[in-house]
DNA sequence: AAGCCGGGGGG
DNA sequence: CCCCCAGGCTT
């Protein structure tokens, strides 16, 4: 009698060889730089969303040395719209580390790989297995889901105990000599068959021994405990125009959108308008006594982030003298496309044809 | 251990 | 409206 574990591994590999038709540009890739790039881009990101970014990065930076030598702003600009911008910062740091310490040759040992910025246990295992066929099992959202259902494991995957339990199990299941193929198989299987919603249990090659299916636990697995609280925030953006220039700054606070740019921001506790901003004294610290003219006020914009709902309004004003606004710099409006902005700002810019993108 | 970091797609 | 996505870092 074949064990559930052996059944699992064999059926998964068989499914991959005979049925799996999922196609990605980096699939079967052996170049560690390309694998790494794809893995960074795909962290918490759908394949369909990351795909065009991957193509663009490979076009611009065919080698890790090229990426390491690129100006920060150019790289952030290329990353614009993808989200989780710390990934971009860490990616640049890692590229420069690889260039400086390893002479541009990607490290081929797990510990060295994992020590690079932005590379955690998942990404290290992915690179180690795909590029170097080292025996490290990947543990991502797909693997958590497939394992929790097939083995009927109800330990929360967002707990320390869960991560340890699933990590150990995943490593035990890994066929040592087939790590690349197996890792690819289980992730594709999770994405194509054992999906979060409406999984294809009717045609699943594991159904005979799937605990969740037999115990009708499929919709309840995997278990997650933490629920997130969503805050509302209100951003009033002043587009302060002086001749052909406009004020912007780079966001550096420990907050969202680090390393991206923005216009003059006045954050308020609730919805506001230019009159309220003036009478509350919020304008004074920014413009001082500089007279200004209100050109127009945008419709409200809304953007949903993981932990926050951002309500934005853009107020366009003109000054005849250029005040010194602390933290902000005056740049030509025509140069805005050299800077990376958060989605809500690019959406605004595009909607107003203020900028060609 | 818990919280935070984007944006998009689907139910 | 909710959840999830080839997760990792900070506190």
């Amino acid at each position: 009698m074949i064990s559930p574990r052996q059944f699992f591994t064999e059926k998964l590999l068989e499914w991959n060889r005979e049925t799996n038709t999922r196609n990605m540009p980096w699939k079967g890739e052996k170049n560690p730089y390309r694998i790494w790039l794809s893995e960074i881009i795909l962290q918490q990101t759908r394949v369909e969303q990351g795909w065009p970014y991957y193509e663009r990065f490979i076009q611009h930076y065919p080698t890790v040395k090229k990426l390491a030598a690129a100006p920060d702003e150019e790289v952030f600009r290329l990353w614009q719209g993808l989200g989780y911008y710390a990934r971009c910062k860490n990616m640049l740091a890692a590229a420069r580390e690889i260039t400086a310490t390893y002479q541009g040759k990607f490290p081929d040992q797990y510990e060295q790989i994992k020590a690079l910025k932005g590379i955690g246990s998942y990404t290290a295992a992915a690179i180690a297995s795909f590029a170097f066929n080292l025996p490290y099992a990947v543990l991502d959202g797909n693997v958590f889901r497939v394992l929790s259902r097939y083995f009927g494991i109800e330990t929360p995957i967002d707990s320390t105990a869960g991560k340890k339990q699933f990590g150990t199990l995943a490593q035990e299941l890994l066929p040592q000599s087939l790590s690349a193929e197996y890792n690819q198989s289980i992730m594709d299987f999770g994405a194509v068959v054992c999906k979060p919603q409406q999984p294809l249990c009717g045609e699943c090659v594991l159904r005979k021994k799937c605990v969740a299916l037999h115990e009708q636990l499929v919709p309840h697995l995997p278990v997650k405990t933490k629920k997130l609280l969503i805050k509302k925030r209100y951003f009033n953006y002043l587009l302060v125009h002086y001749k052909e220039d406009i004020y912007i700054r780079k966001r550096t606070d420990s907050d969202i959108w680090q390393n991206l740019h923005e216009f003059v921001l006045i954050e308020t506790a609730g919805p506001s308008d230019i009159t309220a901003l003036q009478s509350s004294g919020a304008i004074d610290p920014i413009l001082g006594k500089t007279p200004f003219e209100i050109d127009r006020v945008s419709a409200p914009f809304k953007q949903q982030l993981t932990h926050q709902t951002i309500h934005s309004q853009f107020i366009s004003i003109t000054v005849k003298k250029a005040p010194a606004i602390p933290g902000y710099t005056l740049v030509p409006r025509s140069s805005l496309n050299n800077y990376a902005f958060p989605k809500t700002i690019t959406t605004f810019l595009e909607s107003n044809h203020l900028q060609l993108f």
Side-chain angles (χ1 to χ4, degrees):
Chain A
M1 187 62 176
I2 184 171
S3 75
R5 291 190 177 203
Q6 192 181 346
F7 180 82
F8 179 83
T9 305
E10 289 181 0
K11 286 294 180 185
L12 213 50
L13 290 169
E14 187 181 312
W15 172 85
N16 182 52
R17 290 166 188 159
E18 297 180 3
T19 314
N20 185 12
T21 56
R22 196 179 192 210
N23 197 18
M24 282 108 66
W26 47 84
K27 200 162 177 177
E29 179 66 60
K30 287 298 171 190
N31 179 332
Y33 166 65
R34 293 187 172 216
I35 293 169
W36 165 67
L37 189 57
S38 72
E39 296 300 343
I40 299 300
I41 288 175
L42 290 168
Q43 286 170 3
Q44 288 293 285
T45 304
R46 283 199 159 71
V47 168
E48 305 76 43
Q49 188 186 1
W51 188 319
Y53 283 85
Y54 172 79
E55 301 280 15
R56 255 173 270 152
F57 269 91
I58 290 298
Q59 287 276 333
H60 280 77
Y61 315 117
T63 65
V64 68
K65 285 186 181 179
K66 297 267 192 188
L67 176 57
D72 289 21
E73 200 54 49
E74 179 186 291
V75 180
F76 273 97
R77 175 70 188 179
L78 214 54
W79 193 278
Q80 176 178 277
L82 194 52
Y84 283 147
Y85 298 93
R87 289 185 292 170
C88 185
K89 179 185 175 168
N90 290 333
M91 175 184 72
L92 263 172
R96 288 163 185 167
E97 171 75 10
I98 293 165
T99 300
T101 304
Y102 301 105
Q103 292 77 47
K105 186 177 181 301
F106 212 98
D108 59 3
Q109 295 178 36
Y110 178 85
E111 295 301 335
Q112 291 178 328
I113 296 169
K114 190 173 179 302
L116 294 166
K117 298 281 190 207
I119 299 185
S121 56
Y122 162 75
T123 305
I127 297 170
S129 63
F130 293 147
F132 307 112
N133 209 32
L134 295 171
Y136 292 88
V138 293
L139 187 57
D140 74 334
N142 291 304
V143 178
F144 274 120
R145 188 170 55 254
V146 173
L147 295 184
S148 71
R149 286 176 178 167
Y150 179 79
F151 293 98
I153 301 170
E154 301 182 55
T155 314
I157 63 172
D158 54 359
S159 67
T160 302
K163 280 167 190 156
K164 188 176 173 187
Q165 181 180 0
F166 282 96
T168 301
L169 175 57
Q171 192 60 35
E172 288 171 357
L173 290 166
L174 178 73
Q176 301 280 307
S177 60
L178 298 173
S179 59
E181 183 184 356
Y182 173 80
N183 280 337
Q184 187 65 59
S185 302
I186 192 169
M187 288 195 287
D188 283 351
F189 185 80
V192 174
V193 180
C194 199
K195 302 181 292 179
Q197 270 88 29
Q198 301 175 6
L200 311 180
C201 299
E203 55 188 78
C204 177
V205 297
L206 300 176
R207 57 173 302 134
K208 271 165 56 177
K209 292 184 187 291
C210 178
V211 173
L213 184 62
H214 292 134
E215 299 185 6
Q216 301 178 358
L217 287 172
V218 174
H220 301 104
L221 292 176
V223 174
K224 276 192 185 180
T225 53
K226 300 180 176 62
K227 36 189 155 185
L228 68 159
L229 207 59
I230 300 179
K231 290 190 301 185
K232 287 185 181 177
R233 297 177 73 179
Y234 298 86
F235 287 2
N236 307 274
Y237 277 120
L238 293 183
L239 280 67
V240 185
H241 296 276
Y242 172 70
K243 297 184 178 173
E244 297 306 312
D245 296 347
I246 191 164
Y247 289 85
I248 65 170
R249 74 170 172 187
K250 182 188 274 195
R251 289 178 64 89
T252 55
D253 296 344
S254 54
D255 196 354
I256 57 173
W257 300 332
Q258 273 184 61
N259 293 296
L260 271 62
H261 293 77
E262 66 182 354
F263 302 113
V264 178
L265 172 64
I266 301 174
E267 182 172 0
T268 50
S272 190
D273 56 40
I274 184 64
T275 310
L277 292 176
Q278 286 188 81
S279 56
S280 71
I283 304 279
D284 296 341
I286 295 164
L287 295 180
K289 294 186 175 11
T290 308
F292 62 91
E293 192 174 311
I294 301 169
D295 302 320
R296 56 181 168 155
V297 177
S298 78
F301 286 70
K302 190 174 84 163
Q303 185 182 12
Q304 187 61 55
L305 307 183
T306 304
H307 290 78
Q308 313 180 13
T309 307
I310 310 292
H311 298 267
S312 302
Q313 192 169 26
F314 297 86
I315 302 164
S316 183
I317 68 177
T318 299
V319 292
K320 296 235 166 77
K321 285 186 175 180
I325 308 180
Y328 292 85
T329 57
L330 205 47
V331 303
R333 258 184 350 192
S334 59
S335 74
L336 287 183
N337 55 5
N338 295 327
Y339 301 93
F341 292 95
K343 183 67 177 173
T344 196
I345 291 181
T346 59
T347 300
F348 163 75
L349 290 172
E350 287 169 4
S351 74
N352 287 273
H353 307 290
L354 283 178
Q355 190 56 47
L356 298 176
F357 277 82

